[in-house]
Amino acid sequence: MDETTKIKEEYLKKVKLLKKHNISYYVKDKPTVSDSDYDILKQEILNLEKRFSFLKKFGSVNQIIGAPPSNKFTKIDHLQPMLSLSNAFNADDMEVFIKKINNFLNTNKKNIELISEPKIDGISATLIYEKGILTKGLSRGDGYTGEDILENLKTIKEIPLRIDSNKVPNLIEIRCEVYIGKKDFLKIKDRFANPRNAAGGSLRQKDPKETAKMPLKYFAYGLGAIKPFNFETQSEFLEEISHWKFKTNPLIKVVRDINEIKKQHEKINLIRSSLDYDIDGLVFKVNNLNLQRRLGNTSNSPRWAIAYKFSAEKAITKIKDITIQVGRTGAITPVAKVDPVNVGGVVVSNATLHNEDEIDRKGIRIGDTVQIQRAGDVIPQVVSVDKSKRDKNSKTFKFPDKCLCGSKTIKEFSKSTKKLDAVRRCSKGYNCNFIAREKLKHLVSKEALNIDGLGKKVVEQFWDLNLIKEPSDIFKLDYNKIKKLEGWGELSINNLKLAIKKSQIISLDKFIYSIGIRHIGQENAKILASFFGSIKEFTKLLDYKNREKILTHLVDLDGIGDTQIQSINNFFTKEINTRIIKNLIKELKIQNYSIQNTGGKFSNKKLMFTGGFQNMSRSEAKSIAENNGGKVLGSISKKLDFLVVGGSKPTKKKIDQAKQLNIKIILEKDWNKILNS
Ligand code: IVH
């Protein structure tokens, strides 16, 4: 029997069993398995479907666990990005959050007002009202572009189609979370893995009549675009929209310090299970909208909000084996294969052991009974080991010193901590098949080329079939071969072709992020893009004759340090990387990086700051300069246009250097004047 037939038979056997259990449970009212065994079976089926897309054509499981969502929606750009939230897992993290806010705003006002709201575990959507009429409804999508799901959203009875109030602004965007109540879910639970999936699937039905059959509800939680601006605080906004008949959550509270935060977190955690909707934590937001605006965002999340998660769900299980995984930077991560166990509604069979040092520290062995935990979307992890249950014959785990590709792994020496890194790495880069595959997954991911339909599983499948071995292969796919694969119909192939074509036009910053240089995340990629400006300038890095000189200039950039420069150098020193990048560039149309706010007060100017400011932190000053079209440098050079000198402890040497080079000096009081002008 070939592999495909084996998988198919295993799958159909499981589906048949699940159907049998369903009949026993729903029709005969006599369950034949425990809830957790049922969950495990259901998850195994879902896992098989995820891994082997050809199984979809058997269709039978769709009747049991819901129809796959359609991807036939028109894409629309968001008026303002829909970001995600950073997480806090304990009170210390919350204190750090408050401290960072105070530092950024440079206030000593310790008691900044925060609003606490439950974090609803559903699907986010945004509603746009023009002159009070609901005109657009979008899904989150990748955060920058959403899908037009207006007709589906309109089927949710409690969403107002028009706002009857004379206070309504010309344009207002209301952000909300769509969910299915726990009780309602019970009626449909045989068709979906959990309420969140059910809500997501229903919202993305092609036929709104199908959506209308689902018991969808929502809570409005946020303000997107608004013209004219007319609210002072988040609590005032929520209060007002509740008069406009939007559903807002009743469990909100304004808090002022860490004790009140802790109290609210404990209080809601206690009543969490009695609520009719799933929540996975509380969102704390700076209440004042003007302060929110000042705080702004990092690449992915606002500085003014955080999700304080409830404690992770835990479970006890046994380690069957320890394997290793190789990441795109070569990091070797040990993974415990455990007896499948239900952790807060999700069946877990793999849990991370982080790194070699962590295994040593916890003294973990194969066969050990361990506690694992799963918090939110993070990968489940092994938290502790119960040594009293250990088999006497078990042996200490010897961490493999070779990568899966067979080459030696090393622990690097960190200059900053003056210690050996806890993580072992394979240093073969693209020459290691395992790293190369992970690099490809990074390349196609949402934040990079963002190719719909070319997810991680498909990359693996195409890799195994030798269809993609390096980035440029994505643009030369042999569709005749793909056509013959199970699960690839004309429609899905056309969608893939379209998505790949779309990805070929890419901005310079995304391109730099996509190629996956270690230590160059989204933020650093933007800094580099603004330095190079065009792909033509960036490619000069590929030539070793220019590289050294360019790298010395990078030191000037605020945010780029030795670690990043070293890493860029390492990356381009490897011939295989330059070859791969050159091939990729040929396939793309890389657009020049333009600073969004070209009309700003510091448009195309280079600034540097020294000394502290009275009304704002250095970070805020920097972000203001950038939002006004300026570039912030980290050292004095001829290129600099302005040195902005704060009143508190400026560096005299810098001022002298600037004077020598005839660089214009802006004193704090003038800086404030410019900002207010
Ligand atoms: S505020 C910039 N408030 O959580 C993001 N989000 O991880 C501001 N969510 O996409 C989000 N309840 O789908 C906010 N009360 C609440 C929320 C909430 C649920 C979801 C939302 C968002 C995700 C962020």
Side-chain angles (χ1 to χ4, degrees):
M1 203 189 300
D2 70 5
E3 196 59 20
T4 318
T5 323
K6 251 197 250 163
I7 294 163
K8 187 178 94 185
E9 292 203 344
E10 184 193 341
Y11 171 78
L12 290 176
K13 209 167 102 191
K14 286 184 195 294
V15 170
K16 202 169 152 195
L17 191 62
L18 191 76
K19 277 187 177 168
K20 207 174 107 198
H21 292 328
N22 276 347
I23 294 172
S24 319
Y25 188 93
Y26 292 103
V27 185
K28 298 185 188 157
D29 213 9
K30 254 195 202 148
T32 36
V33 280
S34 70
D35 276 3
S36 72
D37 284 349
Y38 179 90
D39 285 347
I40 289 171
L41 182 62
K42 197 150 107 179
Q43 192 63 39
E44 282 172 351
I45 293 177
L46 287 170
N47 286 349
L48 279 174
E49 284 187 352
K50 256 194 236 153
R51 278 185 60 200
F52 307 103
S53 50
F54 67 85
L55 292 173
K56 274 189 204 131
K57 80 168 193 188
F58 299 106
S60 45
V61 83
N62 289 342
Q63 296 147 24
I64 308 180
I65 32 188
S70 142
N71 53 8
K72 292 280 294 176
F73 294 101
T74 314
K75 301 249 163 90
I76 299 184
D77 285 347
H78 287 300
L79 297 175
Q80 271 179 17
M82 288 183 84
L83 303 172
S84 46
L85 288 167
S86 50
N87 290 326
F89 294 102
N90 50 46
D92 287 350
D93 294 346
M94 285 305 294
E95 284 192 279
V96 171
F97 170 68
I98 298 173
K99 213 168 170 183
K100 274 193 185 159
I101 289 176
N102 279 304
N103 283 346
F104 192 96
L105 297 172
N106 202 18
T107 58
N108 292 320
K109 239 174 73 187
K110 284 280 166 286
N111 299 348
I112 223 158
E113 211 174 77
L114 300 177
I115 179 166
S116 152
E117 303 169 12
K119 183 166 188 296
I120 320 293
D121 193 12
I123 300 291
S124 50
T126 189
L127 306 165
I128 296 170
Y129 292 82
E130 287 166 285
K131 299 201 164 58
I133 311 285
L134 175 60
T135 53
K136 284 194 190 86
L138 307 182
S139 67
R140 177 174 184 275
D142 64 2
Y144 295 89
T145 309
E147 291 164 324
D148 177 3
I149 52 164
L150 176 65
E151 294 310 316
N152 290 352
L153 288 166
K154 278 184 178 171
T155 68
I156 302 174
K157 281 184 232 58
E158 291 161 322
I159 289 183
L161 299 179
R162 55 180 297 159
I163 305 170
D164 280 321
S165 158
N166 52 9
K167 281 199 206 156
V168 63
N170 280 338
L171 172 93
I172 185 162
E173 183 181 5
I174 311 263
R175 301 264 157 100
C176 55
E177 192 81 355
V178 177
Y179 69 94
I180 289 185
K182 289 183 192 165
K183 273 198 222 104
D184 286 333
F185 181 68
L186 292 180
K187 292 175 227 153
I188 53 170
K189 81 167 193 197
D190 52 327
R191 290 164 50 203
F192 299 97
N194 57 44
R196 193 169 182 275
N197 278 3
S202 319
L203 265 189
R204 298 186 80 257
Q205 287 291 337
K206 239 191 95 190
D207 182 359
K209 283 198 208 97
E210 289 302 313
T211 311
K213 289 183 196 157
M214 305 302 292
L216 291 171
K217 292 184 177 149
Y218 82 101
F219 281 118
Y221 64 70
L223 179 61
I226 175 166
K227 265 184 206 153
F229 194 86
N230 63 355
F231 295 106
E232 229 172 79
T233 59
Q234 164 78 356
S235 37
E236 182 199 328
F237 160 74
L238 288 176
E239 168 82 24
E240 183 65 26
I241 64 167
S242 73
H243 297 312
W244 298 351
K245 305 251 166 27
F246 285 88
K247 283 274 157 198
T248 53
N249 193 282
L251 302 171
I252 57 170
K253 186 175 164 61
V254 173
V255 292
R256 284 175 188 83
D257 60 32
I258 189 71
N259 288 328
E260 288 183 10
I261 291 175
K262 281 195 222 164
K263 242 168 82 189
Q264 181 69 0
H265 195 254
E266 279 159 23
K267 184 176 149 196
I268 304 293
N269 197 14
L270 281 178
I271 60 164
R272 176 184 177 193
S273 56
S274 67
L275 301 174
D276 188 41
Y277 43 88
D278 282 325
I279 62 175
D280 55 359
L282 296 182
V283 185
F284 285 91
K285 305 174 181 172
V286 169
N287 199 19
N288 184 295
L289 297 177
N290 188 36
L291 292 185
Q292 283 190 9
R293 186 191 53 75
R294 276 182 62 192
L295 285 157
N297 312 315
T298 64
S299 291
N300 293 318
S301 53
R303 290 192 190 90
W304 45 264
I306 196 161
Y308 185 179
K309 293 293 183 84
F310 292 129
S311 311
E313 317 253 14
K314 296 195 170 83
I316 304 287
T317 183
K318 217 171 162 177
I319 299 187
K320 292 196 292 194
D321 196 7
I322 297 176
T323 58
I324 56 171
Q325 249 173 24
V326 188
R328 72 175 168 92
T329 61
I332 309 283
T333 308
V335 178
K337 302 273 163 194
V338 298
D339 283 333
V341 57
N342 189 325
V343 194
V346 171
V347 179
V348 171
S349 42
N350 292 318
T352 177
L353 288 159
H354 302 290
N355 53 53
E356 184 178 7
D357 289 9
E358 188 76 7
I359 299 187
D360 285 348
R361 213 166 47 79
K362 292 192 175 128
I364 288 171
R365 297 179 180 184
I366 295 174
D368 274 351
T369 301
V370 289
Q371 188 182 46
I372 60 173
Q373 73 171 22
R374 188 184 67 85
D377 300 335
V378 280
I379 305 163
Q381 42 186 299
V382 174
V383 263
S384 61
V385 47
D386 183 349
K387 289 188 182 155
S388 69
K389 296 220 172 86
R390 176 173 285 168
D391 180 346
K392 279 187 221 89
N393 300 322
S394 79
K395 293 195 192 78
T396 320
F397 176 72
K398 191 175 170 312
F399 200 87
D401 57 3
K402 290 216 169 104
C403 171
L404 294 173
C405 73
S407 56
K408 259 198 181 162
T409 55
I410 43 161
K411 285 187 170 190
E412 288 168 7
F413 183 78
S414 158
K415 273 190 197 153
S416 54
T417 61
K418 307 252 179 305
K419 272 194 214 149
L420 272 189
D421 211 351
V423 179
R424 247 178 206 288
R425 284 175 203 277
C426 168
S427 55
K428 291 280 164 197
Y430 271 108
N431 284 322
C432 163
N433 275 342
F434 298 86
I435 297 180
R437 209 175 59 174
E438 293 310 305
K439 280 183 178 287
L440 284 167
K441 289 183 193 169
H442 167 77
L443 181 82
V444 299
S445 66
K446 249 186 190 180
E447 293 76 19
L449 290 189
N450 188 17
I451 307 182
D452 256 359
L454 193 58
K456 291 184 180 174
K457 290 286 160 208
V458 183
V459 169
E460 277 177 13
Q461 192 190 13
F462 287 4
W463 172 275
D464 290 342
L465 294 166
N466 282 329
L467 285 163
I468 304 181
K469 287 287 161 182
E470 67 162 79
S472 57
D473 294 341
I474 295 174
F475 308 97
K476 299 174 199 146
L477 278 174
D478 181 348
Y479 289 101
N480 283 329
K481 252 194 188 169
I482 299 176
K483 226 184 266 168
K484 291 189 194 121
L485 298 175
E486 300 272 4
W488 282 94
E490 203 173 322
L491 184 69
S492 46
I493 287 188
N494 281 341
N495 283 343
L496 180 64
K497 278 185 187 165
L498 219 69
I500 290 179
K501 195 163 169 218
K502 214 179 101 194
S503 76
Q504 285 173 294
I505 302 175
I506 188 169
S507 58
L508 182 62
D509 59 316
K510 281 207 173 187
F511 168 78
I512 297 176
Y513 172 73
S514 301
I515 58 178
I517 306 171
R518 199 170 151 210
H519 300 299
I520 304 297
Q522 286 170 279
E523 282 292 323
N524 283 337
K526 276 190 196 145
I527 298 174
L528 291 174
S530 100
F531 173 81
F532 289 104
S534 68
I535 186 66
K536 191 163 164 245
E537 287 302 310
F538 183 78
T539 32
K540 291 189 177 155
L541 267 179
L542 272 66
D543 186 347
Y544 76 97
K545 281 182 247 130
N546 301 325
R547 197 178 309 130
E548 202 176 326
K549 194 166 153 224
I550 300 174
L551 292 181
T552 55
H553 289 314
L554 294 186
V555 189
D556 293 344
L557 301 178
D558 202 28
I560 303 285
D562 280 349
T563 314
Q564 285 76 19
I565 292 175
Q566 186 75 48
S567 175
I568 297 171
N569 192 30
N570 285 347
F571 186 87
F572 289 109
T573 309
K574 291 202 175 107
E575 211 198 299
I576 185 166
N577 288 345
T578 48
R579 182 180 63 72
I580 281 175
I581 298 306
K582 275 184 193 158
N583 289 345
L584 175 63
I585 292 174
K586 277 188 215 144
E587 302 295 335
L588 301 175
K589 224 175 154 180
I590 302 164
Q591 292 169 324
N592 290 353
Y593 187 79
S594 55
I595 297 165
Q596 277 148 5
N597 234 322
T598 41
K601 288 173 184 158
F602 304 113
S603 174
N604 298 324
K605 296 285 182 236
K606 297 190 178 72
L607 300 87
M608 190 182 148
F609 295 97
T610 177
F613 297 78
Q614 210 163 27
N615 299 329
M616 67 184 70
S617 64
R618 178 78 72 75
S619 316
E620 187 176 2
K622 185 177 168 220
S623 114
I624 291 176
E626 285 169 350
N627 289 339
N628 280 286
K631 269 188 204 177
V632 180
L633 302 189
S635 65
I636 307 247
S637 70
K638 276 187 290 195
K639 285 174 263 163
L640 204 63
D641 295 293
F642 304 118
L643 177 70
V644 190
V645 181
S648 164
K649 297 190 195 142
T651 315
K652 191 171 169 292
K653 196 172 151 208
K654 285 184 185 153
I655 302 175
D656 291 344
Q657 279 175 334
K659 278 183 183 160
Q660 259 177 18
L661 294 169
N662 272 333
I663 290 162
K664 192 161 184 244
I665 290 177
I666 303 180
L667 297 175
E668 184 168 352
K669 61 175 187 337
D670 300 321
W671 168 253
N672 290 332
K673 266 191 217 151
I674 297 174
L675 299 193
N676 292 327
S677 66

CSV table of all heavy atoms in Angstrom, one decimal, residues 559-593:
chain,number,residue,atom,x,y,z
A,559,GLY,N,19.1,52.7,16.4
A,559,GLY,CA,18.4,51.4,16.4
A,559,GLY,C,19.2,50.3,15.8
A,559,GLY,O,19.0,49.1,16.1
A,560,ILE,N,20.2,50.6,15.0
A,560,ILE,CA,21.1,49.6,14.4
A,560,ILE,C,22.4,49.6,15.2
A,560,ILE,O,23.1,50.6,15.2
A,560,ILE,CB,21.4,49.8,12.9
A,560,ILE,CG1,20.0,49.9,12.1
A,560,ILE,CG2,22.3,48.8,12.3
A,560,ILE,CD1,19.4,48.6,11.9
A,561,GLY,N,22.7,48.5,15.8
A,561,GLY,CA,24.0,48.4,16.6
A,561,GLY,C,24.9,47.4,16.1
A,561,GLY,O,24.7,46.8,15.0
A,562,ASP,N,25.9,47.1,16.9
A,562,ASP,CA,27.0,46.1,16.4
A,562,ASP,C,26.4,44.7,16.1
A,562,ASP,O,26.8,44.1,15.1
A,562,ASP,CB,27.9,45.9,17.6
A,562,ASP,CG,28.9,47.0,17.7
A,562,ASP,OD1,29.0,47.8,16.7
A,562,ASP,OD2,29.7,47.1,18.7
A,563,THR,N,25.4,44.3,16.9
A,563,THR,CA,24.8,42.9,16.7
A,563,THR,C,24.2,42.9,15.3
A,563,THR,O,24.4,41.9,14.5
A,563,THR,CB,23.7,42.7,17.7
A,563,THR,OG1,24.2,43.1,19.0
A,563,THR,CG2,23.3,41.3,17.7
A,564,GLN,N,23.5,43.9,14.9
A,564,GLN,CA,22.8,43.9,13.6
A,564,GLN,C,23.8,44.0,12.5
A,564,GLN,O,23.7,43.3,11.5
A,564,GLN,CB,21.8,45.1,13.5
A,564,GLN,CG,20.5,44.9,14.3
A,564,GLN,CD,20.7,45.2,15.8
A,564,GLN,OE1,21.7,45.8,16.2
A,564,GLN,NE2,19.8,44.7,16.6
A,565,ILE,N,24.8,44.9,12.7
A,565,ILE,CA,25.8,45.1,11.6
A,565,ILE,C,26.6,43.8,11.4
A,565,ILE,O,26.8,43.4,10.2
A,565,ILE,CB,26.7,46.3,12.0
A,565,ILE,CG1,25.9,47.5,11.9
A,565,ILE,CG2,27.9,46.3,11.0
A,565,ILE,CD1,26.6,48.8,12.3
A,566,GLN,N,27.0,43.2,12.5
A,566,GLN,CA,27.7,41.9,12.4
A,566,GLN,C,26.9,40.9,11.6
A,566,GLN,O,27.4,40.1,10.8
A,566,GLN,CB,27.9,41.4,13.8
A,566,GLN,CG,28.8,40.2,14.0
A,566,GLN,CD,30.2,40.6,13.7
A,566,GLN,OE1,30.7,41.5,14.3
A,566,GLN,NE2,30.9,39.8,12.8
A,567,SER,N,25.6,40.9,12.0
A,567,SER,CA,24.7,39.9,11.4
A,567,SER,C,24.5,40.1,9.9
A,567,SER,O,24.5,39.2,9.1
A,567,SER,CB,23.4,39.9,12.1
A,567,SER,OG,22.5,39.1,11.5
A,568,ILE,N,24.4,41.4,9.5
A,568,ILE,CA,24.3,41.7,8.1
A,568,ILE,C,25.5,41.3,7.3
A,568,ILE,O,25.5,40.7,6.3
A,568,ILE,CB,24.0,43.2,7.9
A,568,ILE,CG1,22.7,43.7,8.5
A,568,ILE,CG2,24.0,43.6,6.4
A,568,ILE,CD1,22.5,45.2,8.6
A,569,ASN,N,26.7,41.6,8.0
A,569,ASN,CA,27.9,41.2,7.4
A,569,ASN,C,28.0,39.7,7.2
A,569,ASN,O,28.3,39.2,6.1
A,569,ASN,CB,29.1,41.7,8.2
A,569,ASN,CG,30.4,41.6,7.5
A,569,ASN,OD1,30.4,41.7,6.3
A,569,ASN,ND2,31.5,41.4,8.3
A,570,ASN,N,27.7,38.9,8.2
A,570,ASN,CA,27.7,37.5,8.1
A,570,ASN,C,26.8,37.0,7.0
A,570,ASN,O,27.2,36.1,6.3
A,570,ASN,CB,27.2,36.8,9.4
A,570,ASN,CG,28.2,36.9,10.5
A,570,ASN,OD1,29.3,37.3,10.3
A,570,ASN,ND2,27.7,36.7,11.8
A,571,PHE,N,25.6,37.6,6.9
A,571,PHE,CA,24.7,37.1,5.9
A,571,PHE,C,25.2,37.3,4.5
A,571,PHE,O,25.2,36.3,3.7
A,571,PHE,CB,23.4,37.9,6.1
A,571,PHE,CG,22.2,37.5,5.2
A,571,PHE,CD1,21.4,36.5,5.6
A,571,PHE,CD2,22.1,38.0,3.9
A,571,PHE,CE1,20.3,36.0,4.8
A,571,PHE,CE2,21.0,37.6,3.1
A,571,PHE,CZ,20.2,36.6,3.6
A,572,PHE,N,25.8,38.4,4.2
A,572,PHE,CA,26.2,38.7,2.8
A,572,PHE,C,27.6,38.1,2.5
A,572,PHE,O,28.0,38.1,1.4
A,572,PHE,CB,26.1,40.2,2.5
A,572,PHE,CG,24.7,40.6,2.4
A,572,PHE,CD1,24.1,41.4,3.3
A,572,PHE,CD2,23.9,40.2,1.3
A,572,PHE,CE1,22.8,41.8,3.3
A,572,PHE,CE2,22.5,40.6,1.2
A,572,PHE,CZ,22.0,41.4,2.2
A,573,THR,N,28.3,37.7,3.6
A,573,THR,CA,29.6,37.1,3.3
A,573,THR,C,29.4,35.7,2.7
A,573,THR,O,30.3,35.2,2.0
A,573,THR,CB,30.4,37.0,4.7
A,573,THR,OG1,30.4,38.3,5.2
A,573,THR,CG2,31.8,36.6,4.4
A,574,LYS,N,28.3,35.1,3.0
A,574,LYS,CA,28.0,33.8,2.5
A,574,LYS,C,27.6,33.9,1.1
A,574,LYS,O,26.6,34.5,0.7
A,574,LYS,CB,26.9,33.1,3.3
A,574,LYS,CG,27.4,32.7,4.7
A,574,LYS,CD,26.5,31.6,5.3
A,574,LYS,CE,27.1,31.2,6.7
A,574,LYS,NZ,26.2,31.6,7.8
A,575,GLU,N,28.4,33.2,0.2
A,575,GLU,CA,28.1,33.3,-1.2
A,575,GLU,C,26.7,32.8,-1.6
A,575,GLU,O,26.0,33.4,-2.4
A,575,GLU,CB,29.2,32.5,-1.9
A,575,GLU,CG,29.5,33.1,-3.3
A,575,GLU,CD,30.2,32.1,-4.1
A,575,GLU,OE1,31.3,31.7,-3.7
A,575,GLU,OE2,29.7,31.7,-5.2
A,576,ILE,N,26.3,31.7,-0.9
A,576,ILE,CA,25.0,31.1,-1.3
A,576,ILE,C,23.9,32.2,-1.0
A,576,ILE,O,22.9,32.2,-1.8
A,576,ILE,CB,24.8,29.8,-0.5
A,576,ILE,CG1,23.5,29.2,-1.0
A,576,ILE,CG2,24.8,30.0,1.0
A,576,ILE,CD1,23.3,27.8,-0.5
A,577,ASN,N,24.0,33.0,0.0
A,577,ASN,CA,23.0,34.0,0.3
A,577,ASN,C,23.0,35.0,-0.8
A,577,ASN,O,21.9,35.3,-1.3
A,577,ASN,CB,23.3,34.7,1.6
A,577,ASN,CG,23.0,33.7,2.8
A,577,ASN,OD1,22.4,32.7,2.7
A,577,ASN,ND2,23.5,34.1,4.0
A,578,THR,N,24.1,35.5,-1.2
A,578,THR,CA,24.1,36.5,-2.2
A,578,THR,C,23.5,36.0,-3.5
A,578,THR,O,22.7,36.7,-4.2
A,578,THR,CB,25.5,37.2,-2.5
A,578,THR,OG1,26.4,36.1,-2.6
A,578,THR,CG2,25.9,38.0,-1.4
A,579,ARG,N,23.9,34.7,-3.9
A,579,ARG,CA,23.3,34.1,-5.1
A,579,ARG,C,21.8,34.1,-5.0
A,579,ARG,O,21.0,34.5,-5.9
A,579,ARG,CB,23.9,32.7,-5.3
A,579,ARG,CG,23.4,32.1,-6.6
A,579,ARG,CD,24.0,30.7,-6.8
A,579,ARG,NE,23.7,29.7,-5.8
A,579,ARG,CZ,22.5,29.2,-5.6
A,579,ARG,NH1,21.5,29.5,-6.4
A,579,ARG,NH2,22.2,28.3,-4.7
A,580,ILE,N,21.3,33.5,-3.8
A,580,ILE,CA,19.9,33.4,-3.7
A,580,ILE,C,19.1,34.7,-3.7
A,580,ILE,O,18.1,34.8,-4.3
A,580,ILE,CB,19.6,32.6,-2.3
A,580,ILE,CG1,19.9,31.1,-2.6
A,580,ILE,CG2,18.2,32.8,-1.8
A,580,ILE,CD1,19.8,30.2,-1.4
A,581,ILE,N,19.7,35.7,-3.1
A,581,ILE,CA,19.1,37.0,-3.0
A,581,ILE,C,19.0,37.6,-4.4
A,581,ILE,O,18.1,38.2,-4.8
A,581,ILE,CB,19.8,37.9,-2.0
A,581,ILE,CG1,19.7,37.3,-0.6
A,581,ILE,CG2,19.2,39.3,-2.0
A,581,ILE,CD1,18.3,37.0,-0.1
A,582,LYS,N,20.1,37.5,-5.2
A,582,LYS,CA,20.2,38.0,-6.5
A,582,LYS,C,19.1,37.4,-7.4
A,582,LYS,O,18.3,38.1,-8.1
A,582,LYS,CB,21.5,37.8,-7.2
A,582,LYS,CG,22.6,38.8,-6.8
A,582,LYS,CD,23.8,38.5,-7.6
A,582,LYS,CE,25.0,39.4,-7.0
A,582,LYS,NZ,26.3,38.9,-7.3
A,583,ASN,N,18.9,36.1,-7.2
A,583,ASN,CA,17.9,35.4,-8.0
A,583,ASN,C,16.5,35.9,-7.6
A,583,ASN,O,15.6,36.0,-8.5
A,583,ASN,CB,18.0,33.9,-7.8
A,583,ASN,CG,19.2,33.2,-8.4
A,583,ASN,OD1,19.8,33.9,-9.3
A,583,ASN,ND2,19.5,32.0,-8.0
A,584,LEU,N,16.3,36.1,-6.3
A,584,LEU,CA,15.0,36.5,-5.9
A,584,LEU,C,14.7,37.9,-6.4
A,584,LEU,O,13.6,38.2,-6.9
A,584,LEU,CB,15.0,36.5,-4.3
A,584,LEU,CG,13.7,37.1,-3.7
A,584,LEU,CD1,12.5,36.2,-4.0
A,584,LEU,CD2,13.8,37.1,-2.1
A,585,ILE,N,15.7,38.8,-6.3
A,585,ILE,CA,15.5,40.2,-6.7
A,585,ILE,C,15.0,40.2,-8.2
A,585,ILE,O,14.2,41.0,-8.6
A,585,ILE,CB,16.8,41.0,-6.5
A,585,ILE,CG1,17.0,41.2,-5.1
A,585,ILE,CG2,16.7,42.4,-7.2
A,585,ILE,CD1,18.4,41.9,-4.7
A,586,LYS,N,15.6,39.3,-9.0
A,586,LYS,CA,15.2,39.3,-10.4
A,586,LYS,C,13.7,39.1,-10.6
A,586,LYS,O,13.1,39.5,-11.6
A,586,LYS,CB,15.9,38.2,-11.2
A,586,LYS,CG,17.3,38.5,-11.6
A,586,LYS,CD,17.9,37.4,-12.4
A,586,LYS,CE,19.4,37.3,-12.2
A,586,LYS,NZ,19.9,36.0,-12.2
A,587,GLU,N,13.1,38.4,-9.7
A,587,GLU,CA,11.7,38.0,-9.8
A,587,GLU,C,10.7,39.1,-9.2
A,587,GLU,O,9.5,39.0,-9.4
A,587,GLU,CB,11.4,36.7,-9.0
A,587,GLU,CG,12.2,35.5,-9.5
A,587,GLU,CD,11.9,35.1,-10.9
A,587,GLU,OE1,10.8,35.4,-11.4
A,587,GLU,OE2,12.8,34.5,-11.6
A,588,LEU,N,11.3,40.1,-8.5
A,588,LEU,CA,10.4,41.0,-7.8
A,588,LEU,C,10.5,42.4,-8.4
A,588,LEU,O,11.5,42.8,-9.1
A,588,LEU,CB,10.9,41.1,-6.3
A,588,LEU,CG,10.8,39.8,-5.5
A,588,LEU,CD1,11.4,40.0,-4.2
A,588,LEU,CD2,9.4,39.2,-5.5
A,589,LYS,N,9.5,43.2,-8.1
A,589,LYS,CA,9.5,44.6,-8.4
A,589,LYS,C,9.5,45.3,-7.0
A,589,LYS,O,8.5,45.4,-6.4
A,589,LYS,CB,8.2,44.9,-9.1
A,589,LYS,CG,8.4,45.8,-10.3
A,589,LYS,CD,7.1,46.0,-11.0
A,589,LYS,CE,7.2,47.3,-11.8
A,589,LYS,NZ,6.0,47.5,-12.5
A,590,ILE,N,10.7,45.7,-6.6
A,590,ILE,CA,10.9,46.2,-5.3
A,590,ILE,C,10.7,47.7,-5.3
A,590,ILE,O,11.5,48.4,-6.0
A,590,ILE,CB,12.2,45.8,-4.6
A,590,ILE,CG1,12.2,44.2,-4.6
A,590,ILE,CG2,12.4,46.3,-3.2
A,590,ILE,CD1,13.6,43.6,-4.4
A,591,GLN,N,9.8,48.2,-4.5
A,591,GLN,CA,9.5,49.6,-4.6
A,591,GLN,C,10.3,50.4,-3.7
A,591,GLN,O,10.6,50.0,-2.5
A,591,GLN,CB,8.0,49.9,-4.3
A,591,GLN,CG,7.2,49.3,-5.5
A,591,GLN,CD,5.7,49.3,-5.2
A,591,GLN,OE1,5.3,49.0,-4.0
A,591,GLN,NE2,4.9,49.5,-6.2
A,592,ASN,N,10.7,51.6,-4.1
A,592,ASN,CA,11.5,52.5,-3.2
A,592,ASN,C,10.8,52.8,-1.9
A,592,ASN,O,9.6,52.8,-1.9
A,592,ASN,CB,11.8,53.9,-3.9
A,592,ASN,CG,12.7,53.7,-5.1
A,592,ASN,OD1,13.2,52.6,-5.3
A,592,ASN,ND2,12.8,54.8,-5.8
A,593,TYR,N,11.6,52.9,-0.9
A,593,TYR,CA,11.0,53.2,0.4
A,593,TYR,C,10.7,54.7,0.6
A,593,TYR,O,11.6,55.5,0.4
A,593,TYR,CB,11.9,52.7,1.5
A,593,TYR,CG,11.3,52.8,2.9
A,593,TYR,CD1,10.4,51.8,3.3
A,593,TYR,CD2,11.6,53.9,3.8
A,593,TYR,CE1,9.8,51.9,4.6
A,593,TYR,CE2,11.0,53.9,5.0
A,593,TYR,CZ,10.1,52.9,5.4
A,593,TYR,OH,9.6,53.0,6.7
